[in-house]
């Protein structure tokens, strides 16, 4: 039996060849006609077009064609807040948009604020070769197989549990462990997170014209994640980085992580810095580890360039929730472990001391860490004495340099003055002139 898992459009960048320049208007890779129909059907007035960086060169042409078809202005998002595979509702709200058309590879995470129309990339597929390979690998028609496919093949497939924007249905009387998984697409981030989150017996993928078995759990990447979980257990101060502003329930995930860290008596910051890079987060040297609430396909979890460990909400659960038992799955989609998710587990803090596998020190769950939400709040020590607690923001108060501040009422009021004019190499109000330079050379 074969079950087809379909995608429900609401990091890998698509290659430019997936959106070739169309010579025939009927074979338009950007589906301008369908975009126009969607705008008119929904009576939208302020529509934004979101392109990945490698497709921005075609954005103006697409926008002009679309404006001609709908008879109104459309807007191009020149940059995205977090990642190009996620729908950027925050940037679109700068013009009070009432709809977004997203082009290119999509992570299929559902949005909360605006309606979205996806124009997915289109990859060619040798169906004859796929069919022949499939018959050789799966000769037994009684084997149960779930077929998933990359969004680039959605145009060739006409189509419940939901994971990573895809849903699938199981035959009555069977569970997911009775099935094998088959992914129509190249090996990459999308396949890896599907394979880690769906516990079928084994996974296969169709890449480079042949079908190969794919193993996601027995990888060096997962071994490194276990090491980073130990680093999180040792951390005193943790930064909660909001790297998405559009995925449903991201605020619930932030609050859940914050509450868990507070129960473990760890100070925490909540940070929103847009697209993540090592230089931005290096501005917070007092933070020992970062927990990133982001799209499952975010490449930040694969990077070794960051100064501090970068962890997921699920890894916070593995570190501090003693009620979560070990399982061979790994949930990159934080919605799976939130209340109402398929793999939610009530939080139960550990009460026993343990030994750090990195430093060898004893980690005591009953230490005297004073962590509060407000700077001057009174807190109760474990011994029963009362003291003034320290919120995470106190680190910023103690810095010698704090960035651009308003300093309201601290500086005298002065009238506006004309600044420098001219070219940077010699402003008009500088005493040194070209003639002086010529005289000096003589």
């Amino acid at each position: 039996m074969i079950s087809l898992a379909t995608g429900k459009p609401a990091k890998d960048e698509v290659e430019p060849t997936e959106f070739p320049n169309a010579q025939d208007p009927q074979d338009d890779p950007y589906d301008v006609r369908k975009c126009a129909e969607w705008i008119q059907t929904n009576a939208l007035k302020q529509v934004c077009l979101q392109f990945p960086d490698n497709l921005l060169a075609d954005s103006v042409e697409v926008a002009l064609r679309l404006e001609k078809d709908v008879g109104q202005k459309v807007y191009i998002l020149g940059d995205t807040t977090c990642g190009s595979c996620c729908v950027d509702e925050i940037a679109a709200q700068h013009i009070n948009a009432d709809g977004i058309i997203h082009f290119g590879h999509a992570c299929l995470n559902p949005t909360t604020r605006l309606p979205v129309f996806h124009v997915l990339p289109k990859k060619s597929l040798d169906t004859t070769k796929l069919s022949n390979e499939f018959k050789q690998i799966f000769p037994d028609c009684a084997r149960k197989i779930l077929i998933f496919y990359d969004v680039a093949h959605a145009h060739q497939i006409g189509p419940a549990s939901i994971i990573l924007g895809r849903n699938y249905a199981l035959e009555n009387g069977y569970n997911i462990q009775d099935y094998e998984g088959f992914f129509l697409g190249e090996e990459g981030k999308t396949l890896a997170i599907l394979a880690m989150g769906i516990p079928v017996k084994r996974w296969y993928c169709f890449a480079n014209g042949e079908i190969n078995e794919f193993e996601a759990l027995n990888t060096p990447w997962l071994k490194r994640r276990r090491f980073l979980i130990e680093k999180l257990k040792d951390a005193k101060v943790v930064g909660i980085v909001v790297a998405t502003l559009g995925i449903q329930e991201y605020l619930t995930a932030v609050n859940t992580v914050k509450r868990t860290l507070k129960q473990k008596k760890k100070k925490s910051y909540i940070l929103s810095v847009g697209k993540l890079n090592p230089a931005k987060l290096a501005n917070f040297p007092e933070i020992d580890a970062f927990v990133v609430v982001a799209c499952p396909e975010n490449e930040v979890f694969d990077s070794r360039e960051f100064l501090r460990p970068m962890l997921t909400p699920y890894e916070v659960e593995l570190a501090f929730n003693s009620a979560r038992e070990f399982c061979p799955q790994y949930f990159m989609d934080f919605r799976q472990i939130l209340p109402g998710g398929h793999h939610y587990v009530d939080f139960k803090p550990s009460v026993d001391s343990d030994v750090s596998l990195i430093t060898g020190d004893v980690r005591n769950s009953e230490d005297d860490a004073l962590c509060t939400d407000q700077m001057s709040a009174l807190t109760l020590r474990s011994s029963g004495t009362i003291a003034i607690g320290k919120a995470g923001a106190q680190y910023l108060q103690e810095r010698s340099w704090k960035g651009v501040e308003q300093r309201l009422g601290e500086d005298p009021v002065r009238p506006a003055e004309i600044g420098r004019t001219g070219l940077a190499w010699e402003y008009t109000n500088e005493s040194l002139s070209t003639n002086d330079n010529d005289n000096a050379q003589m």
Side-chain angles (χ1 to χ4, degrees):
M1 175 193 171
I2 298 177
S3 298
L4 180 64
T6 59
K8 296 292 184 183
K11 192 96 180 249
D12 304 326
E13 294 292 341
V14 297
E15 297 296 330
T17 55
E18 295 180 6
F19 276 97
N21 293 324
Q23 303 297 328
D24 184 358
Q26 301 299 323
D27 184 26
D28 181 10
Y30 290 99
D31 289 334
V32 174
R33 181 180 56 82
K34 291 182 179 179
C35 294
E37 292 176 355
W38 180 75
I39 293 174
Q40 294 168 342
T41 301
N42 293 278
L44 304 178
K45 301 301 180 183
Q46 298 277 92
V47 177
C48 287
L49 310 183
Q50 179 179 338
F51 294 83
D53 291 343
N54 61 319
L55 296 180
L56 277 175
D58 298 337
S59 61
V60 175
E61 179 184 353
V62 174
L64 292 175
R65 290 174 55 195
L66 188 57
E67 288 180 347
K68 183 179 179 181
D69 287 352
V70 299
Q72 66 187 49
K73 185 176 182 60
V74 297
Y75 300 83
I76 300 173
L77 298 180
D79 195 10
T80 52
T81 304
C82 297
S84 59
C85 70
C86 298
V87 176
D88 195 349
E89 295 179 301
I90 300 302
Q93 286 184 330
H94 291 168
I95 61 160
N96 296 320
D98 53 10
I100 299 177
I101 299 177
H102 181 279
F103 297 87
H105 177 79
C107 57
L108 302 180
N109 285 303
T111 55
T112 58
R113 301 176 179 87
L114 299 174
V116 179
F117 184 78
H118 283 274
V119 179
L120 300 172
K122 299 178 176 63
K123 272 189 176 180
S124 60
L125 177 66
D126 189 339
T127 54
T128 302
K129 193 166 188 178
L130 171 62
S131 177
N132 294 335
E133 282 282 320
F134 201 89
K135 291 176 182 178
Q136 292 182 10
I137 301 297
F138 306 104
D140 185 1
C141 296
R143 292 169 69 174
K144 298 186 178 300
I145 304 169
L146 281 174
I147 296 183
F148 295 83
Y149 56 91
D150 189 85
V151 295
H153 295 297
H155 66 289
Q156 295 169 303
I157 301 175
S161 299
I162 298 180
I163 176 173
L164 302 172
R166 295 163 171 85
N167 64 38
Y168 55 87
L170 305 180
E171 188 178 3
N172 292 337
Y174 294 91
N175 56 41
I176 189 67
Q177 288 80 14
D178 297 323
Y179 285 78
E180 296 173 274
F182 178 80
F183 182 74
L184 180 57
E186 300 291 330
E187 293 187 15
K189 192 71 175 180
T190 302
L191 172 58
I193 55 181
L194 279 172
M196 288 189 292
I198 302 179
V200 295
K201 289 188 290 188
R202 61 184 64 86
W203 276 92
Y204 298 89
C205 69
F206 182 70
N208 299 321
E210 59 183 20
I211 297 177
N212 296 304
E213 187 171 350
F214 179 78
E215 178 60 57
L217 295 177
N218 188 22
T219 63
W221 183 87
L222 277 181
K223 295 178 182 178
R224 173 171 168 75
R225 304 314 299 175
R226 302 296 184 187
F227 167 75
L228 295 182
I229 290 173
E230 285 296 313
K231 298 284 285 186
L232 176 62
K233 291 180 179 180
D234 290 340
K236 301 294 185 182
V237 182
V238 180
I240 305 172
V241 183
V242 184
T244 177
L245 298 174
I247 299 178
Q248 286 182 2
E249 298 187 89
Y250 78 94
L251 287 177
T252 303
V254 171
N255 292 329
T256 299
V257 172
K258 180 181 178 182
R259 184 168 57 252
T260 300
L261 293 174
K262 187 175 181 180
Q263 287 181 312
K264 297 301 295 184
K265 299 182 180 180
K266 295 183 182 293
K267 300 182 180 71
S268 64
Y269 297 103
I270 296 180
L271 308 173
S272 180
V273 295
K275 288 183 178 179
L276 300 183
N277 61 55
K280 285 182 180 179
L281 297 187
N283 288 318
F284 304 95
E286 63 275 355
I287 293 180
D288 301 316
F290 293 95
V291 177
V292 184
V293 179
C295 162
E297 297 191 29
N298 197 309
E299 300 293 337
V300 68
F301 303 115
D302 301 325
S303 176
R304 294 173 177 263
E305 298 177 354
F306 289 88
L307 180 65
R308 303 297 188 198
M310 310 294 287
L311 298 110
T312 68
Y314 175 61
E315 289 165 337
V316 176
E317 285 267 305
L318 292 178
F320 303 124
N321 189 354
S322 60
R324 183 170 290 281
E325 298 179 355
F326 174 81
C327 71
Q329 297 170 262
Y330 215 84
F331 307 112
M332 298 297 292
D333 187 348
F334 57 79
R335 290 171 296 159
Q336 294 179 268
I337 62 172
L338 295 180
H342 292 292
H343 301 281
Y344 170 73
V345 175
D346 288 333
F347 181 78
K348 180 182 177 182
S350 59
V351 295
D352 299 327
S353 300
D354 66 340
V355 177
S356 170
L357 299 180
I358 297 176
T359 65
D361 298 333
V362 175
R363 292 188 291 242
N364 194 329
S365 61
E366 297 295 335
D367 58 14
D368 279 341
L370 300 178
C371 183
T372 66
D373 293 331
Q374 298 180 359
M375 291 299 298
S376 58
L378 295 178
T379 61
L380 184 66
R381 286 183 182 270
S382 58
S383 61
T385 58
I386 296 177
I388 297 179
K390 293 183 178 181
Q394 183 160 347
Y395 285 100
L396 298 178
Q397 294 282 348
E398 296 172 353
R399 281 184 175 179
S400 59
W401 181 85
K402 304 173 186 176
V404 180
E405 301 174 87
Q406 291 184 340
R407 298 177 56 86
L408 297 176
E410 299 181 25
D411 297 315
V413 179
R414 295 180 180 177
E417 300 178 357
I418 299 177
R420 289 182 173 184
T421 59
L423 300 177
W425 69 280
E426 183 182 4
Y427 293 104
T428 55
N429 61 343
E430 290 181 334
S431 58
L432 185 63
S433 64
T434 304
N435 293 334
D436 293 338
N437 289 336
D438 294 341
N439 294 334
Q441 292 176 359
M442 295 177 62

